[in-house]
Amino acid sequence: MALKDELRKLEQDTLSSVENASTLQDLETVRVAVLGKSGSLTGYLRNMGNVAKEERAEVGKAVNAARQAVEEAIDARRAVLEVAEMDARIEAGAVDITLPGRSQQIGSRHLINRIIDEVSDIFLGLGYTVGVGPEVETDYYNFTALNAPADHPSRSMQDTFYVRDMSGDSAAVRGESDVLLRTQTSGAQVHAMEDKPLPIYMIAPGKVYRRDVADPSHLPQFHQIEGLVVDKGITFGDLKGTLDHMCKQIFGSNRKTRFRAHYFPFTEPSAEVDVSCGVCAGEGCRMCKGTGWLEILGCGMVDPNVLQMSGIDPEIYSGFAFGVGVERIACLKYNVPDLRMLLEGDMRFLRQF
Ligand code: DAH
């Protein structure tokens, strides 16, 4: 019977297509072509009406047998392909747990800021306030109100950046502007005395600027922390005790301090403070140039003129002031040999702190 041969051929072809389907998608295409609504095998079932009555049972049996064989083959092939595709997906999404991880880089505070925080904490613990002054300052706050009137020789101790007035004011263009980048944080003292109620116990950290070329011991921009106390009955003993406490907190309780007479226009008497060398414990070494001491700050009793200029009666009030270089503390505490290293942003250097 020709029909039976036809069916057998269709079954054989379909079974080999099923076997050759390499994806679930291919398999589905084969299924639809044979068993779908207008599939080839479905066509035989549809056409049963045209088959002669006496042959119908036999043809029907043959078509159903073919359909069953094809369905079984498809189900078996589907099971195999599903496992293979799952394996492929797992393989593709696999994480290589032997690769080193990409660690998150966590930033930290720069050494300069850390020291400012550390010194601020020491003085907050003593009941001081922490303030800031303006970096662009007038000549009055940077010099005049600090007892250094025009032509005072102390002005030449600090080479100043003047801010040029772009309006074309000829005095400013000639460098006679009275607006400047502050050379010291001491102007914060004047702002505090003008603005704050008495008594005053404050520090003011911040940036200062000087016309210096950067070298191992100079930077054109650096940081200072200014301190000011104004109250009744403040003595040089208060100054010494406070700064000795600060040095021991920063460098360690075994360090000694010494006060050397010095000159600053805004304090009288004035002193420079040295801390005993941490490398040789005061014996004398290269770090301290054989002296056993390292200079760390300037200080003194606020000059009565300075109090008076800011409207404070020096007959009733007295005070002390100090100014300490933040980079200097960093170098002395961590033996940094060159100030410029603090600004270069070299992570190998910065990570050490
Ligand atoms: N302003 C001084 C400087 O930059 C440091 C200083 C010295 C500040 C003595 C003070 C002080 O308040 O009393 O060299």
Side-chain angles (χ1 to χ4, degrees):
M1 190 178 70
L3 190 65
K4 271 192 158 177
D5 289 341
E6 241 180 74
L7 272 171
R8 196 167 307 122
K9 177 149 187 353
L10 176 62
E11 185 184 323
Q12 293 302 315
D13 288 352
T14 305
L15 291 182
S16 78
S17 297
V18 166
E19 212 43 52
N20 288 334
S22 55
T23 65
L24 287 168
Q25 183 64 45
D26 287 353
L27 188 62
E28 179 63 7
T29 308
V30 173
R31 190 192 67 78
V32 170
V34 179
L35 301 176
K37 246 192 242 164
S38 30
S40 42
L41 204 53
T42 316
Y44 286 99
L45 288 169
R46 283 241 179 93
N47 283 331
M48 283 309 257
N50 301 334
V51 176
K53 232 183 187 167
E54 55 281 12
E55 288 181 6
R56 232 176 251 167
E58 209 177 334
V59 171
K61 232 164 113 185
V63 173
N64 275 330
R67 189 171 67 177
Q68 197 174 343
V70 167
E71 276 175 352
E72 277 170 12
I74 287 177
D75 286 347
R77 185 69 186 148
R78 181 182 292 124
V80 171
L81 288 178
E82 271 174 0
V83 171
E85 289 197 5
M86 172 74 86
D87 282 349
R89 242 180 294 136
I90 289 172
E91 181 89 11
V95 176
D96 183 350
I97 56 164
T98 64
L99 280 177
R102 257 173 267 156
S103 66
Q104 198 73 29
Q105 291 229 14
I106 297 176
S108 63
R109 291 182 68 66
H110 190 277
L111 182 56
I112 291 174
N113 291 320
R114 286 243 324 268
I115 288 174
I116 290 176
D117 287 350
E118 199 181 317
V119 174
S120 299
D121 277 348
I122 295 169
F123 282 95
L124 285 169
L126 295 175
Y128 285 51
T129 58
V130 179
V132 285
E135 287 174 29
V136 180
E137 190 57 285
T138 59
D139 181 275
Y140 177 79
Y141 287 98
N142 197 71
F143 291 121
T144 310
L146 289 163
N147 213 24
D151 302 330
H152 192 280
S154 75
R155 290 187 177 218
S156 62
M157 287 158 66
Q158 298 173 1
D159 269 323
T160 309
F161 285 113
Y162 284 91
V163 177
R164 203 163 131 179
D165 180 348
M166 299 308 276
S167 69
D169 172 340
S170 56
V173 174
R174 283 201 309 272
E176 294 164 15
S177 161
D178 65 351
V179 180
L180 46 80
L181 295 182
R182 65 179 177 187
T183 60
Q184 50 187 353
T185 44
S186 300
Q189 292 182 30
V190 181
H191 288 290
M193 287 188 285
E194 286 182 356
D195 301 343
K196 282 182 186 290
L198 293 168
I200 295 168
Y201 289 82
M202 70 106 185
I203 62 165
K207 289 191 184 71
V208 300
Y209 304 84
R210 293 191 193 175
R211 271 174 43 188
D212 274 323
V213 175
D215 69 22
S217 53
H218 295 86
L219 293 174
Q221 175 202 299
F222 56 101
H223 296 77
Q224 292 185 330
I225 302 173
E226 196 72 21
L228 174 70
V229 168
V230 180
D231 202 348
K232 290 176 181 160
I234 297 295
T235 68
F236 200 87
D238 298 314
L239 167 62
K240 284 183 80 172
T242 305
L243 294 180
D244 187 63
H245 172 73
M246 179 190 83
C247 290
K248 287 186 161 65
Q249 291 283 309
I250 297 173
F251 296 107
S253 55
N254 55 335
R255 305 292 279 272
K256 296 192 184 69
T257 51
R258 108 178 150 176
F259 289 68
R260 269 183 295 106
H262 196 76
Y263 171 75
F264 296 105
F266 37 88
T267 43
E268 182 60 35
S270 303
E272 277 188 332
V273 177
D274 300 333
V275 61
S276 57
C277 179
V279 175
C280 62
E283 295 286 308
C285 67
R286 257 175 49 198
M287 178 79 178
C288 58
K289 300 197 180 84
T291 64
W293 296 97
L294 301 162
E295 181 196 322
I296 128 141
L297 60 85
C299 64
M301 300 305 290
V302 182
D303 191 301
N305 273 347
V306 171
L307 292 173
Q308 202 140 36
M309 274 188 276
S310 293
I312 296 172
D313 186 347
E315 296 296 330
I316 303 172
Y317 287 96
S318 58
F320 67 78
F322 58 91
V324 50
V326 177
E327 284 78 0
R328 189 149 188 88
I329 294 180
C331 290
L332 298 185
K333 190 162 175 174
Y334 298 105
N335 298 333
V336 179
D338 188 329
L339 285 177
R340 292 171 296 184
M341 296 171 91
L342 294 168
L343 298 186
E344 278 165 353
D346 185 332
M347 295 299 283
R348 292 167 302 180
F349 171 75
L350 294 173
R351 280 219 182 88
Q352 298 176 78
F353 309 106

